[in-house]
Amino acid sequence: MTTDTTTEWTSGPTAEHQWEQQLHSHDRRVTKQRLAVLAAVARSPHATAEAVTDVVRAELANITLQSVYVVLADLTGLGMLRRIEPPNSAARYETRTGDNHHHAICTGCGRIEDVDCAVGHAPCLTPGLDAGATIGRIVIADVLYQGTCSDCAAKAGLVEAPAPAPASH
Amino acid sequence: MTTDTTTEWTSGPTAEHQWEQQLHSHDRRVTKQRLAVLAAVARSPHATAEAVTDVVRAELANITLQSVYVVLADLTGLGMLRRIEPPNSAARYETRTGDNHHHAICTGCGRIEDVDCAVGHAPCLTPGLDAGATIGRIVIADVLYQGTCSDCAAKAGLVEAPAPAPASH
DNA sequence: CCACTTATTCTGAGTAATTCACAATAAGCA
DNA sequence: TGCTTATTGTGAATTACTCAGAATAAGTGG
């Protein structure tokens, strides 16, 4: 669905080689399925397992959804993929790991965008946990912003009154 | 299961009266089921629909899980409850709404705690969305901290090596 | 207090996302 | 080249949740 032709990916053949090395270093075998899943996630970030499967099938027509699930789960456990779980949606995957970036989701159309951390790099990692909190050692801080994207805002503005004013009350 | 006898809840009979009024003002009928669900969520925050059902059944033995789901969804839509979706877990509910507090979840035992907003009140609502972001108008910012609670840290410290040396940065 | 309207609940079945068990395949190594 | 075992494929199961329709009861007017 992109107007770009070739160099759309976040990563090219170089990345594939890196993936092979990473798989090896984690004592995983390098299979065409795993490489294809990684390439698919890299090319279409925030895709669901099913969407990833569709993309992969362009290359490996016979891969099963179950295998994709297994691969996604394993690679996520390895840290090669990151899994995000938006509300009212299946889990989604991306290759951007390590940096602690967050996500903004449009409540209208479900579109998801990456958002670099608000205050700079890792402000979220040391919140006001002092007062009687037993959960220390924060490792991850996932921030999920919810809002309306420009498309949906425009659509809402054209189709209906600015404020739906649902409940009269 | 609490050692307390009566005044354990976050809210007493006063809250019940408020709930009745809120239900009325939203053109909802005041049923014992709805009040019981509200009381259950107030008494055990971050409970799943199933857990809420168990609590409610102490009072209303015949309530069905489906009804609890309907009530939870409706009250969440009304803003009387807030729904959170931790990773690898069913949705959870709480009566604390309106304030934008966040949550810390222990990756060891799944325990969830409330966390007041890090930078004060609403820092998360205006992140660095400037650069080419199409999702403006941020309405909600859910922050989910993941870490290890003291119990699990102690347990891990006794059973295995102290620090698994987490991600660097 | 009674009848009536309709939201709410209950009964029972259905769906989506994900996982499990086990047989078939193929990656890595001797 | 052949062997070992991780990985994939096949098929079924599970979890969390939703939907359709009948039964119940909250709120309202008489």
Side-chain angles (χ1 to χ4, degrees):
Chain A
M1 283 305 177
T2 60
T3 36
D4 247 24
T5 44
T6 39
T7 47
E8 172 73 49
W9 332 21
T10 319
S11 29
T14 315
E16 180 160 322
H17 192 246
Q18 285 193 333
W19 291 329
E20 293 184 17
Q21 293 195 321
Q22 287 187 66
L23 287 171
H24 272 134
S25 71
H26 285 292
D27 285 312
R28 295 299 191 278
R29 294 183 180 172
V30 177
T31 67
K32 53 192 175 188
Q33 286 90 339
R34 275 157 197 258
L35 291 177
V37 166
L38 281 163
V41 175
R43 188 159 33 170
S44 47
H46 312 142
T48 62
E50 207 156 355
V52 169
T53 305
D54 287 343
V55 174
V56 171
R57 281 194 175 136
E59 198 178 332
L60 297 171
N62 296 326
I63 199 171
T64 62
L65 179 57
Q66 287 85 334
S67 295
V68 172
Y69 269 112
V70 168
V71 170
L72 289 173
D74 189 39
L75 297 183
T76 301
L78 257 42
M80 293 180 66
L81 292 180
R82 182 171 161 192
R83 171 189 172 120
I84 58 184
E85 296 190 38
N88 311 318
S89 158
R92 287 151 190 279
Y93 299 85
E94 63 188 351
T95 47
R96 254 186 92 178
T97 60
D99 69 341
N100 69 322
H101 74 276
H102 306 312
H103 297 99
I105 183 170
C106 173
T107 49
C109 59
R111 126 173 244 156
I112 299 179
E113 283 178 20
D114 288 340
V115 178
D116 290 317
C117 204
V119 194
H121 54 307
C124 327
L125 293 178
T126 52
L129 279 178
D130 348 271
T134 64
I135 300 182
R137 284 180 191 250
I138 297 300
V139 178
I140 308 175
D142 272 318
V143 184
L144 180 67
Y145 300 101
Q146 293 181 257
T148 311
C149 74
S150 49
D151 287 358
C152 287
K155 208 182 303 174
L158 291 175
V159 175
E160 54 184 47
S168 54
H169 91 104
Chain B
M1 282 306 175
T2 60
T3 36
D4 248 23
T5 44
T6 39
T7 48
E8 171 73 49
W9 334 19
T10 320
S11 30
T14 314
E16 179 159 324
H17 192 248
Q18 285 193 333
W19 291 329
E20 293 184 18
Q21 293 196 318
Q22 288 187 67
L23 287 171
H24 272 133
S25 70
H26 285 291
D27 286 311
R28 294 299 191 278
R29 293 184 181 172
V30 176
T31 67
K32 53 191 175 188
Q33 287 90 338
R34 274 158 196 258
L35 291 177
V37 165
L38 280 164
V41 175
R43 188 159 33 168
S44 48
H46 312 142
T48 62
E50 206 157 355
V52 169
T53 305
D54 287 343
V55 174
V56 170
R57 281 195 176 136
E59 199 179 331
L60 296 171
N62 296 326
I63 199 171
T64 61
L65 179 58
Q66 287 87 332
S67 296
V68 173
Y69 270 112
V70 168
V71 171
L72 289 172
D74 189 39
L75 297 183
T76 301
L78 257 43
M80 292 180 66
L81 292 180
R82 181 172 161 192
R83 173 189 171 118
I84 58 183
E85 296 189 39
N88 312 318
S89 158
R92 287 150 190 281
Y93 299 85
E94 63 188 350
T95 48
R96 253 186 93 179
T97 59
D99 68 340
N100 69 322
H101 74 275
H102 306 311
H103 297 99
I105 183 170
C106 173
T107 50
C109 59
R111 127 173 242 156
I112 298 180
E113 283 177 21
D114 287 340
V115 178
D116 290 317
C117 204
V119 193
H121 53 310
C124 327
L125 294 178
T126 52
L129 279 179
D130 349 270
T134 64
I135 300 182
R137 284 179 190 249
I138 296 301
V139 177
I140 308 174
D142 273 318
V143 184
L144 181 66
Y145 300 100
Q146 293 181 257
T148 311
C149 74
S150 49
D151 287 358
C152 287
K155 207 182 302 175
L158 291 174
V159 177
E160 58 181 46
S168 52
H169 77 116

